[in-house]
């Protein structure tokens, strides 16, 4: 088995894609710009507001129980990027629609045993991922 070690790969065309050939001639083309998660964050709002780990996130703002605004370091080209979020211990986490090229606001809601939505609630673990084109 051979190992290629490098600090940079550059495509030969303007599409920013690199073709990967994996065993038995299986060819996969990966778009380097659009095929990666451009920003993500893992944080807690229960007990204390804690940014546990992140990529491309400058800061988090605690807007109150279960409500957080994430500031993105390198802006997206528009506010139509895809974002997903999840929360542990309270139920559902959503993007509340307050979103720009550099901000994404996430809210976590509590659930009772019947699954009915309750007010915003702090979570021990919330995760957010953003995919899209950077500016």
């Amino acid at each position: 088995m051979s190992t290629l070690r490098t600090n940079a790969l550059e495509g030969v065309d303007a599409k920013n894609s690199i073709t990967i050939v994996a065993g038995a001639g299986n060819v996969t083309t990966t778009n380097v710009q659009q095929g990666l998660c451009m920003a993500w964050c893992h944080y807690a709002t229960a007990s204390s507001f804690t940014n546990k780990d992140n990529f491309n996130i400058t800061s988090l703002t605690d807007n109150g129980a279960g409500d957080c605004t994430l500031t993105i370091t390198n802006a997206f080209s528009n506010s139509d990027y895809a974002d997903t979020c999840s929360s542990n211990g309270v139920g559902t986490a959503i993007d509340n629609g307050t979103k720009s090229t550099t901000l994404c606001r996430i809210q976590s809601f509590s659930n009772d045993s019947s699954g009915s939505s309750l007010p915003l609630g702090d979570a021990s673990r919330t995760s957010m991922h953003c995919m899209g084109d950077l500016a």
Side-chain angles (χ1 to χ4, degrees), residues 7-96:
N7 289 327
L9 291 174
E10 184 176 327
V12 294
D13 58 24
K15 295 179 184 175
N16 297 311
S17 295
I18 295 175
T19 300
I20 299 168
V21 179
N26 295 325
V27 177
T28 303
T29 300
T30 300
N31 185 301
V32 177
Q33 283 185 317
Q34 292 181 337
L36 303 173
C37 183
M38 300 299 186
W40 57 264
C41 190
H42 176 154
Y43 62 95
T45 54
S47 300
S48 66
F49 191 78
T50 307
N51 180 356
K52 295 185 176 203
D53 201 0
N54 71 78
F55 172 73
N56 197 23
I57 300 294
T58 300
S59 63
L60 286 77
T61 303
D62 186 354
N63 302 315
D67 192 350
C68 177
T69 299
L70 295 88
T71 303
I72 300 164
T73 308
N74 298 301
F76 283 90
S77 61
N78 59 58
S79 61
D80 293 328
Y81 56 88
D83 59 307
T84 58
C85 39
S86 63
S87 193
N88 171 352
V90 294
T92 307
I94 64 162
D95 158 9
N96 85 339

